[in-house]
């Protein structure tokens, strides 16, 4: 008796991945960009937190001290144009905070003067007075470039002027604290008696209360973007659809289970 040939048994279809679509490529690129942007913001926020931690005991971010010198009667910084479009307490104080300038004469016996005043009033006081104006500052290495203005000695000592919004004078280390306000201001460093030849070490600091909120906000936004980017890439790759096609078998062949 002859056995009948085995009837082919249909097998379960084998999974085959569908081709990668252009739309999924766009989503992966977008997710990658979000990951890069989020990572960059996290780094920036971390730097901000580090900068915030570098404040001194009084809460100031300070640069210096650095040596400044001129043979003229006064040394002035470029005009500080503080333009504020809202209440000082909300914008200037919260964003910029307080400014502190510290000076110390290279000659311990020479009293110094440092003052901040309206740029227009300072210009009138120094009109015709020999002075040097800071034009450029290089940080590494530290170097100050000056614009010389020829002239004579001042008609009166700087401390005798009434237009200063903040000032300090005397021998030894001097410190000037200024609550930033709207306006156009100038910083002046002179010998207190108005004599020529200013030689001093200067450091400048600011409380900059906006640094911490910006750092925290940057970390939060960076973290959210990083998570969104990772989720977008992972979901796009993991949810590719698959189709199943039956396995073809030769006649009389029993497919493998």
């Amino acid at each position: 008796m002859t056995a009948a040939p085995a009837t082919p048994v249909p097998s379960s279809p084998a999974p085959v991945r569908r081709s990668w679509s252009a739309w999924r490529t766009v989503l992966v690129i977008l997710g990658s960009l979000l990951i890069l942007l989020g990572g960059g913001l996290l780094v920036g926020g971390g730097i901000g937190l580090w900068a915030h931690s570098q404040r001194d005991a009084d809460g100031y971010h300070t640069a210096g001290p650095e040596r400044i010198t001129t043979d003229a009667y006064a040394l002035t910084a470029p005009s500080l144009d503080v333009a504020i479009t809202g209440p000082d307490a909300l914008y200037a104080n919260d964003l910029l905070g307080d400014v502190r300038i510290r000076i110390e004469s290279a000659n311990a016996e020479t009293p110094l003067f440092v003052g901040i005043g309206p740029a227009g009033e300072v210009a009138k006081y120094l009109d015709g007075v020999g002075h040097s104006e800071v034009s450029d500052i290089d940080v590494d290495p530290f170097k100050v470039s000056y614009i010389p203005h020829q002239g004579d000695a001042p008609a009166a000592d700087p401390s005798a002027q009434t237009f200063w919004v903040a000032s300090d004078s005397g021998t030894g280390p001097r410190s000037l604290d200024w609550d930033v306000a709207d306006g156009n201001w100038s910083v002046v460093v002179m010998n207190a008696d108005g004599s020529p030849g200013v030689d001093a070490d200067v450091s400048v600091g600011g409380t900059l209360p906006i640094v911490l909120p910006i750092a925290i906000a940057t970390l939060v936004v960076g973290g959210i973007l990083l998570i969104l980017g990772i989720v977008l890439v992972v979901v796009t790759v993991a949810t590719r659809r698959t189709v199943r096609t039956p396995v073809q078998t030769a006649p009389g062949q029993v497919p493998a289970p």
Side-chain angles (χ1 to χ4, degrees), residues 5-14 245-257:
T7 302
V9 179
S11 63
S12 59
T245 57
V247 177
Q248 300 295 327
T249 57
Q253 178 182 359
V254 179

Side-chain angles (χ1 to χ4, degrees), residues 72-74 105 107 109-114 125 129 153-161 168-171 189-199:
Y73 293 93
S105 176
N107 184 349
E109 298 180 356
T110 301
L112 288 177
F113 170 88
V114 57
Y125 172 63
V129 175
D157 295 343
S159 58
Q161 310 307 307
D168 189 22
S169 63
T171 57
V189 178
M190 302 176 63
N191 292 328
D193 60 0
S195 61
V198 180
D199 190 0

Side-chain angles (χ1 to χ4, degrees), residues 89-182:
L90 176 61
Y91 291 89
N93 293 343
D94 289 349
L95 296 179
L96 303 177
D98 297 331
V99 171
R100 171 173 292 175
I101 301 175
R102 287 178 172 171
I103 62 172
E104 185 172 3
S105 176
N107 184 349
E109 298 180 356
T110 301
L112 288 177
F113 170 88
V114 57
I116 297 177
E121 296 294 335
V122 171
K124 290 180 182 179
Y125 172 63
L126 295 179
D127 185 26
V129 175
H131 64 281
S132 297
E133 180 182 351
V134 175
S135 61
D136 186 42
I137 298 177
D138 293 328
V139 177
D140 189 17
F142 181 82
K143 180 182 177 182
V144 181
S145 299
Y146 306 99
I147 298 176
H149 297 270
Q150 302 299 322
D152 300 320
D157 295 343
S159 58
Q161 310 307 307
T162 59
F163 55 76
W164 306 110
V165 295
S167 64
D168 189 22
S169 63
T171 57
R174 314 309 306 173
S175 181
L176 176 154
D177 292 339
W178 178 49
D179 189 5
V180 176
D182 192 9

